[in-house]
Amino acid sequence: MNSNQKLKLVILVCFFATSVFSQKSTFRPPKDGENIVPNGGFELYSAAPIGWFYKGVHFGQVMKYWYSITTSSPDVYGPKVKVPTDWAEKGFGNQKSHGGQSFAGLTLFGCLNGKPHCREYIQVQLAEPLVPGQYYEVEFWTTHLARSLQINNLGVLFSNEPIERKTDEVLIFSPQIRAENIIAATGGKWKKISKRFRATDESEYLAIGNFFDDPNTQSMPYRADCYNYAYYYIDDVLVKKIPPYLPPPVKSDDLTKLDLKTGDTVRLRNIYFEFDRAELMPRSFVELNKLLKIMLLNPKLSVEIVGHTDSDGSDIYNLDLSKRRARTVVNFLVENKIGQKRLKMRGEGERVPVADNETDAGRAVNRRVEFVVLEN
């Protein structure tokens, strides 16, 4: 696999992997009224945040579940972060977190003044898709670098698909939530940005940043020695349903609506693993809990979990990876009271493609987990 392919897979999130920090497979989808943003406080890491970031991909390699959607480089702040001396002298690294110990930092303004990486954005896949018609409370906390310009427009964008750019360009969108007025957060005091909104679709991704260009963003040098750019910190991102709670839409091919028969092969939809590993992403548990529910209600049902990969990588490696992914799903079921005798597993590696491995879309389809009905 070449470096461009690896970068694309990391950013797309529709991929397979585990992390340095283990996650128990007993993770459950959030209940109504709970936060659906995984790692909303930026406290979970995939790798130690040592050093300073110069590429967008570095953020996703360090911060669990979050990633940069352009090649610009958002920053992680936490106990193990080492800020280079020249940046520390400018005040970077002096800010205290709003909650916990860690938070993120983004450049949001300064393109017309020649600031490199004048826009930075972070994105995460939600633990469950939004429910059309449902009202949600959305909030995050922010403050800015001591000598930053103060600006407006910092906001939240929900989207159906992940956003990916291979440049550090300014992204122009219409975010559902934004700060219409200039955010004045002097002295390192955190400000809450919040809004209630009604979902219109089943968006699965949340991005944070300034989705307006410089001419359409207000800015204010609130002190004489302000830099010519805006840099803001982000912490404690929250999205939760507001009562009354609406049920998610049920599609005709929903797993719980299928009439399962012995010999059927069924693909588990929306199963995501971290890149090149076997740890399930939070969004995966929506579908896995449907399979769990079916097996709990049908004690005679036994299945074989089958893992598949695309053709990137060696045959031996892909076969092992597919087995480990299948094992992860089996472990989830066993940990949730499904007897081991009702479960089998195998990995097929890249041997059974269902789409063209020469295209990105085809490879994404081939990276899948299925189950075969052995007895029902």
Side-chain angles (χ1 to χ4, degrees), residues 70-136:
T70 69
T71 58
S72 61
S73 54
D75 302 309
V76 172
Y77 294 89
K80 296 182 180 180
V81 173
K82 297 180 180 179
V83 179
T85 301
D86 54 341
W87 289 103
E89 291 174 349
K90 296 179 180 180
F92 292 86
N94 291 338
Q95 180 63 42
K96 301 298 183 182
S97 64
H98 175 261
Q101 295 182 301
S102 301
F103 53 100
L106 306 174
T107 301
L108 302 173
F109 180 89
C111 304
L112 298 182
N113 293 318
K115 171 72 167 64
H117 289 188
C118 61
R119 286 293 189 283
E120 294 170 346
Y121 309 87
I122 53 176
Q123 185 166 245
V124 67
Q125 186 181 34
L126 300 172
E128 63 182 37
L130 300 183
V131 176
Q134 175 69 52
Y135 282 92
Y136 288 85

Side-chain angles (χ1 to χ4, degrees), residues 12 14 67 123 157-164 202-206 272:
L12 282 178
C14 183
Y67 50 93
Q123 185 166 245
L157 173 70
F158 292 98
S159 62
N160 290 296
E161 301 293 335
I163 301 169
E164 175 200 6
E202 296 181 80
S203 292
E204 292 200 33
Y205 296 87
L206 174 153
Y272 303 92

Side-chain angles (χ1 to χ4, degrees), residues 178-250:
R178 72 179 179 94
E180 297 183 6
N181 299 318
I182 286 179
I183 305 170
T186 58
K189 295 181 180 179
W190 290 89
K191 301 286 186 179
K192 182 170 72 172
I193 307 299
S194 64
K195 182 179 178 180
R196 295 187 175 192
F197 88 106
R198 184 172 181 265
T200 58
D201 56 31
E202 296 181 80
S203 292
E204 292 200 33
Y205 296 87
L206 174 153
I208 297 177
N210 177 7
F211 298 96
F212 297 81
D213 58 16
D214 282 5
N216 288 296
T217 298
Q218 301 174 31
S219 64
M220 182 177 69
Y222 75 102
R223 52 189 274 183
D225 60 348
C226 273
Y227 300 123
N228 60 357
Y229 56 86
Y231 187 91
Y232 278 71
Y233 303 104
I234 309 293
D235 203 357
D236 293 331
V237 184
L238 177 144
V239 177
K240 67 178 183 180
K241 294 178 180 177
I242 301 171
Y245 303 128
L246 302 180
V250 179

Side-chain angles (χ1 to χ4, degrees), residues 36-95:
I36 64 172
V37 179
N39 198 17
F42 303 101
E43 299 298 316
L44 302 178
Y45 296 93
S46 293
I50 298 172
W52 199 244
F53 295 164
Y54 294 100
K55 295 181 180 179
V57 68
H58 292 158
F59 188 86
Q61 290 172 346
V62 168
M63 184 52 59
K64 202 169 185 64
Y65 307 138
W66 291 86
Y67 50 93
S68 173
I69 55 182
T70 69
T71 58
S72 61
S73 54
D75 302 309
V76 172
Y77 294 89
K80 296 182 180 180
V81 173
K82 297 180 180 179
V83 179
T85 301
D86 54 341
W87 289 103
E89 291 174 349
K90 296 179 180 180
F92 292 86
N94 291 338
Q95 180 63 42

Side-chain angles (χ1 to χ4, degrees), residues 130-151:
L130 300 183
V131 176
Q134 175 69 52
Y135 282 92
Y136 288 85
E137 179 181 353
V138 182
E139 74 175 40
F140 63 91
W141 291 80
T142 188
T143 186
H144 56 70
L145 184 71
R147 293 173 61 185
S148 166
L149 292 173
Q150 294 179 339
I151 63 164

Side-chain angles (χ1 to χ4, degrees), residues 299-311:
K300 293 183 179 180
L301 176 63
S302 61
V303 300
E304 181 176 37
I305 306 298
V306 186
H308 300 269
T309 69
D310 60 27
S311 60

